[in-house]
Amino acid sequence: MQEWANQLCENRQFGSKMTDSKYFTTTKKGEIFELKAELNSDKKEKKKEAVKKVIASMTVGKDVSALFPDVVNCMQTDNLELKKLVYLYLMNYAKSQPDMAIMAVNTFVKDCEDPNPLIRALAVRTMGCIRVDKITEYLCEPLRKCLKDEDPYVRKTAAVCVAKLHDINAQLVEDQGFLDTLKDLISDSNPMVVANAVAALSEIAESHPNSNLLDLNPQTINKLLTALNECTEWGQIFILDCLANYTPRDDRESQSICERVTPRLSHANSAVVLSAVKVLMKFMEMLPKDLDYYGTLLKKLAPPLVTLLSAEPELQYVALRNINLIVQRRPEILKHEMKVFFVKYNDPIYVKLEKLDIMIRLASQANIAQVLAELKEYATEVDVDFVRKAVRAIGRCAIKVEQSAERCVSTLLDLIQTKVNYVVQEAIVVIKDIFRKYPNKYESVIATLCENLDSLDEPEARAAMIWIVGEYAERIDNADELLESFLEGFHDESTQVQLQLLTAIVKLFLKKPTETQELVQQVLSLATQDSDNPDLRDRGYIYWRLLSTDPVAAKEVVLAEKPLISEETDLIEPTLLEELICHIGTLASVYHKPPSAFVEGSRGVQHKRLPGSAGSADSVDSPDTASAAGVSEAPPAVIPSQGDLLGDLLNLDLTPPTATGPPPAPSSGLQMGAMDLLGGGLDSLPPIPLRTDTPQSPQFYHQSPSPPDYSPTELGGDLGGSPALGAGFGAPPAAMPASFNAPVSGGLDDLFDLGGGVGMPMGSYSPPKTVWLPAMKAKGLEISGTFARRAGVIQMEMTLTNKAMSVMTDFAIQFNRNSFGLAPAGPLQILTPLSPNQSIEAALPLSTVGPVMKMEPLTNLQVAVKNNIDVFYFSCQYPISMLFVEDGKMERQVFLATWKDIPNDNESQFQIKDCHLNSDAASNKLQGSNVFTIAKRTVEGQDMLYQSMKLTNGIWVLAELRVQTGNPNYTVSLKCRAPEVSQCVFQSYEAMLKN
């Protein structure tokens, strides 16, 4: 589409004089025959007119492919405008007419040797856009000539063509040596050729992350920096993005690059500015903070960022999202620029909310008075969302700047006096946080809060008020009455309020046991006997047992001193922040998510991270010292708890945790078992390289010591080369499958001997179709279906049958939120009307990036289907095996370490009965559905298969399958950090093996 736009724009220069609009107005019948005659006319002018009409028809969506041979005949012309139009037509229709397109090859070859460089470039550009396999091999020779053309315009066009050709046929490009030619073009004398060569190589390197195409070294970097000053803005962006992937050798080189990139900060194009900021933010990491230049650079970064905020709102928003990241990493850059982020009355809401967020990040003792005055003003605005956020912001300021807490509390009390309902509710929520940060300091305001109890109708505000009453029950005379008033509608309250109410009444009972015995019995009975919410029931039973068996212990548990809440609870997790800083100026920096979270099928998404901090310039030379420095200086990794991982699966965002930084170095005795926690999801673990003496490469692999040689007796211990969690070198690991502890005859190779013959996998399992929507419930429409995974794509395969008397049309489909974010990847393609008694097959591809909500059961999918008659609803269940991804084969040592690392409580054991397959056949069958066998062992006639699978949201499931020869009953043990999925995985195992 962009190519079309470029060429159409270029055509304006050839005397069309704004009159071409007439070509878009005709809609005559029989036009194709007329055009055919005109295209074959002897008059050049008539030919050109005809081709323009053809292009106009093509642009508005008419099918003019029947004219292909006639249009191609017009290629033999010296008229540049006509040639461009024919090439435009060719790009569009070559795919549907590949045999005819071959006719054009000779003209391409000829045009690539034309004396006019514009025609040579046009030919090579069009060649790159014709995505037809049959033609590509004919185009290699012309492309090779154009890459070495004397004219830089032709060379720069040819460089981009290599990237396009690589996308069509990567092997051909490599065999023809085009990649080496591209690398040579980086040394070209023309800056635009250099920029396009860098862009092409970067594009190819993204889809082949391990190819090391862009072998950056100081000489290459110097050439890029020289070209940077002279190329167009797009060229500058390509070069800056390439520079951002380079890791300088020392702080001197880092400073030199920064000095040469800094002038780009004053560029008129905002994308160039952000790319320059990205390079500087990355290379600043290597500069010592006591260096004069470091301070100068900080000062230079502020003005361009401030300038971005004077652009139109959409650009402001992108700039603000990037500034949000920069401020979290280096708040000192903008600490004196607070006023720029004050909200203007005509800012769109999305800009206002973003500015508010940055104001709080920049709030400090020096500017807090100014910030609070602004926030108080915002709280009287008319936009409800903005007012809520402003009130929250006042609370965040109190938590962040202790000296301002008193002023913030009095501001919040003033706002409560306004009696504006949503303002009061937000104020109560933030005052609860202030109480948690500064206990026993501002309790005098509780009376004012209690006066507003009746006006609270939002769950979060009600829960906050109940927490305050329970926490300070001894200071509130009528606390029991207040809590009792909430109990009256207990079952109508949200879960959040019910849980808070239960805890508050138990606290009240422990503080005033004589007066509230009846109340506590009432709430425990409501929670345990009348509620069907498992969380509420469990908490109720725990309190009941605590109170009935050991009231002293109950007091210690329920009334324990609470940890103070941290000053910044909404900061982005450090390793993710590092990765996002490396993506400044891209979509990742706007979403605040790593590319792997939203780029579907992202083969080549590499996890980036900032280079090591400067303090140890020597450390780059020696891996040992570098890794030792890494331990102390790396930001603390956030280790997700089991609850967090489950919450991630069932509640929030289904992206795997990101891995950016290497874990602490081997010298600290890091356990391999913990590696998936610190690295952030086993899907991101690269192969573990042996220690070398070369400086760390930009791929940022986790370094690990080389594994020692194992004797048979040590195999019961740790296989990671360092002590595991709580177990020494020879000690049997606590949570390992029993069979791993059995003595083995050989070394490490024996344990993972797949010599038992794991053959070729069979196809993936797809359950038979069942009726999802019976005709009697859907006015005659019957839908039966199943789910299948084909070539890595989940498909919902349906048969729609019309059992009514009228024709059905206009089909559409929608899913409710579900546990794994399944959503249609496109519309439901039913192109013909569905007549009475007719059936039609439809395959709907699904993506896993939709909204998420925990379903019961976990694999339940609620579907709405619309047609011209009505909207119909049904629910169906998909086998969880549809979500097993193709890269679910875990490294062997990582498997061992992870099995140990997952708690025993997370292990589930199931029986599969009446299964008459041997272990090899079972392994093959399961591998067809992406259940990968990592190892196989035979102990006393029993085959044990150790298997791994990975779900689309990055959660790993490990399995041990025991197969006894002659026994049709198998045992499968499953281990997973989110044990909720184990039951579904077992059901899929059973279905796959018995299918």
Side-chain angles (χ1 to χ4, degrees), residues 643-697:
D644 291 343
L645 286 169
L646 193 56
D648 207 25
L649 161 70
L650 301 174
N651 197 1
L652 298 167
D653 190 3
L654 279 186
T655 56
T658 54
T660 51
S667 53
S668 65
L670 168 76
Q671 310 85 339
M672 265 197 64
M675 218 154 162
D676 60 314
L677 294 176
L678 298 171
L682 286 160
D683 52 328
S684 55
L685 271 185
I688 300 167
L690 304 184
R691 184 182 290 166
T692 62
D693 292 325
T694 52
Q696 205 173 2
S697 71

Side-chain angles (χ1 to χ4, degrees), residues 456-473:
L456 305 182
D457 53 16
E458 290 172 16
E460 197 177 1
R462 289 170 77 82
M465 192 65 226
I466 291 166
W467 181 87
I468 292 169
V469 173
E471 191 67 16
Y472 300 103

Side-chain angles (χ1 to χ4, degrees), residues 140-260:
C140 291
E141 264 332 291
L143 180 58
R144 183 175 286 106
K145 284 178 186 165
C146 288
L147 280 166
K148 297 198 164 93
D149 198 283
E150 61 192 25
D151 192 286
Y153 181 70
V154 180
R155 293 201 299 278
K156 87 176 180 73
T157 311
V160 177
C161 185
V162 173
K164 290 178 176 175
L165 193 60
H166 188 275
D167 193 39
I168 303 166
N169 190 338
Q171 196 57 48
L172 181 72
V173 170
E174 285 162 32
D175 295 346
Q176 293 282 343
F178 288 146
L179 294 181
D180 296 326
T181 316
L182 262 189
K183 288 180 190 174
D184 295 341
L185 287 181
I186 289 182
S187 311
D188 198 278
S189 56
N190 184 287
M192 270 319 297
V193 177
V194 175
N196 278 17
V198 167
L201 283 169
S202 302
E203 179 82 18
I204 295 168
E206 265 181 31
S207 56
H208 293 68
N210 301 323
S211 56
N212 201 19
L213 282 175
L214 273 164
D215 186 15
L216 298 174
N217 54 45
Q219 292 74 33
T220 317
I221 292 297
N222 196 32
K223 287 170 189 165
L224 295 183
L225 287 166
T226 308
L228 185 62
N229 298 322
E230 298 174 50
C231 51
T232 63
E233 48 201 27
W234 278 112
Q236 291 182 31
I237 292 166
F238 291 137
I239 291 176
L240 287 167
D241 286 351
C242 180
L243 287 173
N245 293 328
Y246 177 60
T247 305
R249 292 165 306 173
D250 52 31
D251 57 342
R252 198 175 298 116
E253 188 186 4
S254 192
Q255 181 176 339
S256 158
I257 294 172
C258 288
E259 283 169 352
R260 293 177 72 178

Side-chain angles (χ1 to χ4, degrees), residues 25-168:
T25 54
T26 57
T27 51
K28 288 188 294 185
K29 286 192 173 177
E31 197 175 12
I32 297 283
F33 297 109
E34 283 180 27
L35 287 171
K36 200 178 183 78
E38 286 176 27
L39 287 168
N40 293 312
S41 163
D42 297 333
K43 294 179 182 169
K44 282 186 180 177
E45 211 43 53
K46 213 166 189 183
K47 244 182 198 181
K48 191 161 81 172
E49 289 289 302
V51 174
K52 282 187 178 180
K53 286 178 190 170
V54 171
I55 297 293
S57 299
M58 179 178 89
T59 308
V60 296
K62 283 189 197 167
D63 182 11
V64 283
S65 57
L67 297 169
F68 196 94
D70 307 285
V71 176
V72 171
N73 283 338
C74 299
M75 281 174 81
Q76 310 290 344
T77 175
D78 300 330
N79 185 314
L80 186 58
E81 185 184 4
L82 181 56
K83 200 175 273 288
K84 281 188 174 187
L85 291 168
V86 173
Y87 277 176
L88 199 56
Y89 177 89
L90 204 59
M91 278 187 235
N92 195 36
Y93 284 117
K95 205 163 188 180
S96 58
Q97 307 258 4
D99 296 330
M100 302 289 277
I102 291 180
M103 291 162 49
V105 167
N106 288 333
T107 312
F108 279 132
V109 175
K110 204 166 122 201
D111 282 356
C112 284
E113 293 174 2
D114 194 279
N116 184 342
L118 285 175
I119 289 183
R120 297 203 296 275
L122 179 62
V124 81
R125 179 198 288 170
T126 311
M127 278 159 41
C129 295
I130 295 179
R131 304 178 63 81
V132 176
D133 282 338
K134 286 184 182 177
I135 295 183
T136 44
E137 55 202 70
Y138 296 110
L139 304 181
C140 291
E141 264 332 291
L143 180 58
R144 183 175 286 106
K145 284 178 186 165
C146 288
L147 280 166
K148 297 198 164 93
D149 198 283
E150 61 192 25
D151 192 286
Y153 181 70
V154 180
R155 293 201 299 278
K156 87 176 180 73
T157 311
V160 177
C161 185
V162 173
K164 290 178 176 175
L165 193 60
H166 188 275
D167 193 39
I168 303 166

Side-chain angles (χ1 to χ4, degrees), residues 803-853:
K803 296 191 174 178
M805 303 303 290
S806 55
V807 174
M808 295 180 181
T809 57
D810 305 332
F811 285 91
I813 192 164
Q814 202 169 347
F815 294 176
N816 198 356
R817 293 189 293 170
N818 53 80
S819 307
F820 292 92
L822 282 182
L828 181 59
Q829 297 282 1
I830 297 176
L831 305 175
T832 54
L834 188 56
S835 308
N837 297 318
Q838 186 190 353
S839 292
I840 198 164
E841 302 288 331
L844 178 70
L846 307 182
S847 73
T848 52
V849 293
V852 180
M853 181 176 77

Side-chain angles (χ1 to χ4, degrees), residues 51 538 860:
V51 174
D538 289 353
N860 194 28

